[in-house]
Amino acid sequence: MNLSQLDLNQLIILKQLLKEKHISNTALSMGLSQPSISRSLGKLRELFDDPLLIRMAGGYELTPKAESIQQDLNIILNKVENLVNKQNFDPKTSEATIKVFGLPPQMNRLIDATIADFREQAPHITLEIDTLPKPHFSELLKGDVHFVITAHEPSSSEGLLYRMPLFKRDFELVMSQTHPLVDTPLTIDVLRHCHFGQISLQGENDLSIGHCFEALGIKDVSIPIRLKDFFSVGTVIENTDILFHLPSHFADELCRRNAIVSRKSPVELKANQTQMYLYWHKRYHNDPVSKWFRELVKSKYSQCE
């Protein structure tokens, strides 16, 4: 390969093409025309001597060479971005982008704590928020996001990840204001006959507190509804007899928007508090944009180290 043929703009297009696996979607996300993306793909195929994207029955798929290029490409472009951002970084004037992944209950709490100061201190920095369910660390390890907020523990690459403690998460039972149990003491004998909803982000079938019921010898808890995300949970609770076991801060938020109430769980169903963390990769540890954002977050949580 002749490096003189290499164009940084083409690599940026390649990164988006490999992510989207679709020419039209790439054009739309980058604000470019479809013919210009097609021309770029033609040049990239010639440059790498590989088709890169193969049309299949359900759309495009990456070639093995494209898959090997993808991770290295993310790292290279991130290093270029870091190189530019390191030049006299000033949050007041920086036009950097900070990408954060987390599920809505945790992300909402983080944003509520930081967004006002974020906008005041860095009016031109873009905060890109992703709350779509997915494995929590995959995009962090690939370099597609800068931060992840989660209670999960990484299964590998621990030496490449740093973390900051944020807050501890507790849980409550949430029900409609018209639910028959709204004013009734919640006991195991009462709850064992109730209908529960499960938010099944990764396709899991078990109720999050199912193990608590099982420990009491109860294995036939009714779960008539499973949601793939958090977006409609408030509406479901408000209009049905379904109970959900949700993080307390998220339950409080739903109660402000919907005709629902949250109730303390009986001690037998008390899940352990879980510590939420902000994670970032070693590649961004000394990046000034990342350091500034971490300091902003740290200032909002007294327990941060």
Side-chain angles (χ1 to χ4, degrees):
M1 179 187 293
N2 185 350
L3 289 180
S4 65
Q5 297 177 279
L6 202 57
D7 183 338
L8 180 59
N9 290 326
Q10 296 292 331
L11 292 183
I12 294 172
I13 291 173
L14 177 58
K15 177 182 178 180
Q16 196 65 19
L17 273 168
L18 298 184
K19 179 181 179 181
E20 298 284 354
K21 299 182 186 178
H22 197 285
I23 293 174
S24 297
N25 289 352
T26 299
L28 184 63
S29 65
M30 299 189 72
L32 299 173
S33 68
Q34 185 172 333
S36 68
I37 297 297
S38 297
R39 288 194 296 270
S40 294
L41 178 57
K43 293 177 182 178
L44 289 163
R45 284 169 166 167
E46 183 178 347
L47 183 64
F48 287 99
D49 191 25
D50 187 83
L52 300 175
L53 293 173
I54 302 291
R55 186 184 290 277
M56 307 291 284
Y60 287 95
E61 293 295 335
L62 304 187
T63 66
K65 187 170 187 178
E67 290 178 347
S68 69
I69 288 171
Q70 189 174 33
Q71 185 166 350
D72 290 338
L73 181 61
N74 289 340
I75 293 172
I76 290 168
L77 291 178
N78 285 330
K79 286 184 176 180
V80 172
E81 182 182 355
N82 290 344
L83 180 64
V84 173
N85 289 333
K86 283 179 181 176
Q87 309 306 313
N88 301 318
F89 171 72
D90 179 358
K92 281 289 187 184
T93 58
S94 174
E95 297 182 355
T97 296
I98 299 174
K99 301 176 182 180
V100 187
F101 165 75
L103 297 178
Q106 290 72 251
M107 184 64 76
N108 291 357
R109 186 163 178 179
L110 179 70
I111 296 306
D112 184 59
T114 61
I115 194 62
D117 285 351
F118 183 97
R119 290 294 300 140
E120 180 181 354
Q121 296 180 29
H124 305 294
I125 292 182
T126 300
L127 184 62
E128 190 171 303
I129 298 169
D130 182 2
T131 59
L132 295 178
K134 67 191 73 177
H136 287 205
F137 296 101
S138 59
E139 294 197 346
L140 189 63
L141 294 173
K142 288 191 299 183
D144 286 343
V145 299
H146 301 98
F147 295 97
V148 167
I149 175 173
T150 181
H152 290 201
E153 296 278 345
S155 58
S156 60
S157 305
E158 288 88 347
L160 298 178
L161 299 180
Y162 294 86
R163 71 182 186 182
M164 174 191 299
L166 299 180
F167 53 86
K168 288 190 175 181
R169 182 179 59 172
D170 208 344
F171 293 82
E172 294 183 4
L173 289 170
V174 185
M175 66 185 71
S176 167
Q177 290 180 358
T178 60
H179 196 284
L181 299 182
V182 71
D183 294 316
T184 301
L186 300 182
T187 65
I188 295 299
D189 286 338
V190 169
L191 292 173
R192 69 184 301 170
H193 302 295
C194 290
H195 303 295
F196 287 85
Q198 167 74 350
I199 298 177
S200 180
L201 301 177
Q202 302 296 329
E204 59 269 39
N205 294 322
D206 296 331
L207 188 65
S208 59
I209 51 175
H211 64 285
C212 297
F213 281 110
E214 288 184 8
L216 299 169
I218 302 170
K219 299 182 179 180
D220 56 350
V221 177
S222 172
I223 313 173
I225 188 166
R226 291 189 179 93
L227 303 179
K228 293 293 186 181
D229 55 52
F230 288 87
F231 300 116
S232 57
V233 62
T235 301
V236 171
I237 297 171
E238 185 175 10
N239 293 283
T240 68
D241 61 345
I242 305 291
L243 304 181
F244 277 81
H245 189 252
L246 299 172
S248 299
H249 58 277
F250 185 58
D252 292 342
E253 183 179 322
L254 290 177
C255 290
R256 290 194 294 269
R257 300 201 309 257
N258 302 90
I260 61 180
V261 296
S262 62
R263 301 281 308 278
K264 296 293 183 183
S265 303
V267 65
E268 296 92 339
L269 298 184
K270 275 287 187 181
N272 292 331
Q273 284 189 336
T274 52
Q275 177 69 56
M276 303 303 303
Y277 293 95
L278 184 75
Y279 283 89
W280 63 94
H281 197 278
K282 183 177 181 179
R283 68 171 66 92
Y284 294 117
H285 188 62
N286 293 316
D287 172 57
V289 180
S290 174
K291 290 171 71 173
W292 170 78
F293 184 73
R294 295 193 317 257
E295 286 301 315
L296 173 64
V297 173
K298 184 176 180 179
S299 70
K300 299 299 178 181
Y301 295 97
S302 60
Q303 60 181 304
C304 291
E305 299 172 347

